[in-house]
Amino acid sequence: MRRLLSGPTSNRVIVELLRATKAGRPASINTVASHSRCSSEFAREVLAELGVNLEEGQLTISTADRLRLAIEVARRGALGDVARSLDWREFEMFTERCLAEAGYGVKRDIRVTDGTRSWQIDVLGLKAETALCFDCKHWSSPSYPSKLEKAAEHQAAATRSLLQNIWKTKSPHIYGLPIVLTLFDPHQRVRNGVVLLSIRQLPDFLGNLAVYSGDLPYIT
């Protein structure tokens, strides 16, 4: 890895860039440097190595590049900070990238019906006989149990509806796992038959996920 991109200060530069350019806003190099607690010269060098466009002291960055930079910093241990710097759509796309890197086939914005109402699954990860169904909650406050209650109920029902459709048309041997994904570490791991995770916990969860584990609320 190049020298400038290997330290905590360069991580802060990237995170502050993502925060400052959220929703397509241009950002000042001086503002990014100040919030990163480094010199403007250092910030310029880091961003130049990353291929970030700098015109007349202003930084502009595309959604694709924002996700590329987010993944880069997340790999170096700043996952929570990165996720907070993304908007809710990018948060879903970031989740999609994490699943893809873990070997899952991924779809976003899945809509299913159980005959009486429609349900939405933000991100769906498929691998072998497993379907991971994510509800991505980009909340700006901690995920207290009471706040997660309704989200968990929704995600369990949405996952059951999806599986009923899959079982009817494709395979009765697909096992579903409803998951609510948040920015903050939940106080519980499982609530109302739904896994609760923070984005910080997602890579380890995917890396150690055991199919049919009795510790997880698979819908079979």
Side-chain angles (χ1 to χ4, degrees):
M1 183 177 292
R2 289 166 291 185
R3 179 183 63 82
L4 287 177
L5 301 184
S6 61
T9 305
S10 64
N11 287 354
R12 290 199 302 270
V13 170
I14 301 170
V15 170
E16 291 302 332
L17 170 67
L18 293 173
R19 287 176 178 167
T21 57
K22 186 183 290 189
R25 297 188 302 264
S28 161
I29 185 67
N30 293 331
T31 298
V32 171
S34 175
H35 290 172
S36 305
R37 303 188 300 279
C38 69
S39 67
S40 295
E41 290 73 18
F42 181 87
R44 284 175 185 272
E45 290 184 63
V46 169
L47 298 178
E49 287 191 1
L50 292 166
V52 176
N53 184 36
L54 176 62
E55 295 182 0
E56 298 180 356
Q58 293 292 307
L59 299 157
T60 57
I61 182 169
S62 67
T63 297
D65 281 340
R66 283 174 58 79
L67 290 174
R68 173 177 63 84
L69 297 179
I71 292 291
E72 173 70 30
V73 179
R75 286 175 177 152
R76 289 184 263 147
L79 186 57
D81 291 336
V82 165
R84 292 181 180 88
S85 69
L86 304 176
D87 63 29
W88 67 270
R89 283 192 177 86
E90 292 170 333
F91 186 64
E92 292 181 7
M93 295 169 70
F94 185 79
T95 304
E96 180 182 8
R97 288 285 296 272
C98 289
L99 282 164
E101 291 198 353
Y104 286 81
V106 187
K107 296 181 179 180
R108 283 199 302 127
D109 195 18
I110 305 298
R111 298 180 186 274
V112 294
T113 179
D114 60 8
T116 58
R117 64 165 292 179
S118 296
W119 305 92
Q120 178 177 340
I121 295 171
D122 292 335
V123 181
L124 174 65
L126 296 169
K127 181 194 285 189
E129 297 178 343
T130 304
L132 305 184
C133 302
F134 286 85
D135 183 10
C136 299
K137 294 300 186 187
H138 192 267
W139 288 327
S140 59
S141 59
S143 305
Y144 296 112
S146 59
K147 191 172 184 180
L148 289 166
E149 186 85 31
K150 188 173 182 180
E153 291 176 0
H154 171 278
Q155 196 62 8
T159 301
R160 284 193 296 269
S161 181
L162 172 74
L163 291 174
Q164 287 166 3
N165 281 273
I166 292 176
W167 293 334
K168 289 176 183 176
T169 61
K170 296 182 180 179
S171 170
H173 305 297
I174 298 294
Y175 301 90
L177 190 62
I179 302 169
V180 174
L181 189 70
T182 72
L183 289 174
F184 297 89
D185 292 347
H187 295 276
Q188 294 175 275
R189 179 63 175 272
V190 176
R191 184 174 180 84
N192 292 346
V194 176
V195 174
L196 309 179
L197 286 178
S198 70
I199 189 69
R200 182 186 63 81
Q201 298 166 330
L202 181 58
D204 283 343
F205 176 81
L206 295 175
N208 296 297
L209 182 61
V211 182
Y212 320 131
S213 169
D215 295 331
L216 296 174
Y218 280 100
I219 298 175
T220 63

